[in-house]
Amino acid sequence: MGNNAIMDAKDAVYGGLAECFITIEGRRYNFMSMTNFESKWEVNVTDVPILGKVGMGHKAAGGKGSWSGTAHYNQSCFRKLADTYQKTGVMPYFEIQVSNEDPTSAAGRQTVIHRGCLCDSFILSKFEAGEEIMDEELSGTFESWDMPETFQELKGY
């Protein structure tokens, strides 16, 4: 093995301790109904032809943020957004703040605030006979993000 650093198992971050807050029109919701969440930033990479070179070059040219998750079907804040949109034509933007922190991990805490969020679809109502717990899939886009807190570098980096 030599002198390679090896991560301690305790430094893996346990996801069940995350926090999720949503701010819509100035009101902040503790979105504890979320059971999973993922956001990603997809970079648009443009081909760049270069004279005198056989291979194509590449350049980052913008990007697009998207998010998705699952929540227990026990809140109406997103349905209210859909209602506002269908009645007024105004789709309110909102923020999603996600923090991950596991007290047993040396990684510490990371917080990402997604800004300019929109939902791309809404479940208005649902039921399923015999279903014990009802969930709903949520997804949308965001325009930018901030990271006021980042994980600590672990030993060996």
Side-chain angles (χ1 to χ4, degrees), residues 39-150:
S39 65
K40 60 183 168 180
W41 182 258
E42 183 178 331
V43 177
N44 296 329
V45 177
T46 301
D47 291 341
V48 179
I50 301 172
L51 186 63
K53 189 175 178 184
V54 175
M56 189 68 68
H58 303 92
K59 181 172 182 151
K64 177 182 177 182
S66 62
W67 61 271
S68 62
T70 304
H72 293 299
Y73 182 73
N74 63 358
Q75 51 72 35
S76 295
C77 62
F78 286 128
R79 278 174 276 290
K80 289 179 183 178
L81 288 178
D83 189 49
T84 297
Y85 182 56
Q86 67 108 10
K87 289 179 178 172
T88 67
V90 175
M91 174 68 83
Y93 287 85
F94 57 94
E95 293 181 355
I96 302 173
Q97 176 181 319
V98 175
S99 297
N100 296 96
E101 183 176 27
D102 179 344
T104 64
S105 173
R109 182 179 173 94
Q110 175 177 278
T111 297
V112 177
I113 303 170
H114 307 79
R115 303 196 187 278
C117 297
L118 290 173
C119 287
D120 56 20
S121 66
F122 300 91
I123 293 176
L124 298 180
S125 61
K126 69 182 285 181
F127 70 85
E128 186 171 339
E131 184 68 21
E132 292 182 25
I133 297 175
M134 291 198 306
D135 291 331
E136 61 181 309
E137 298 300 318
L138 303 167
S139 62
T141 59
F142 62 95
E143 295 183 6
S144 64
W145 76 94
D146 291 309
M147 284 189 357
E149 298 174 297
T150 60

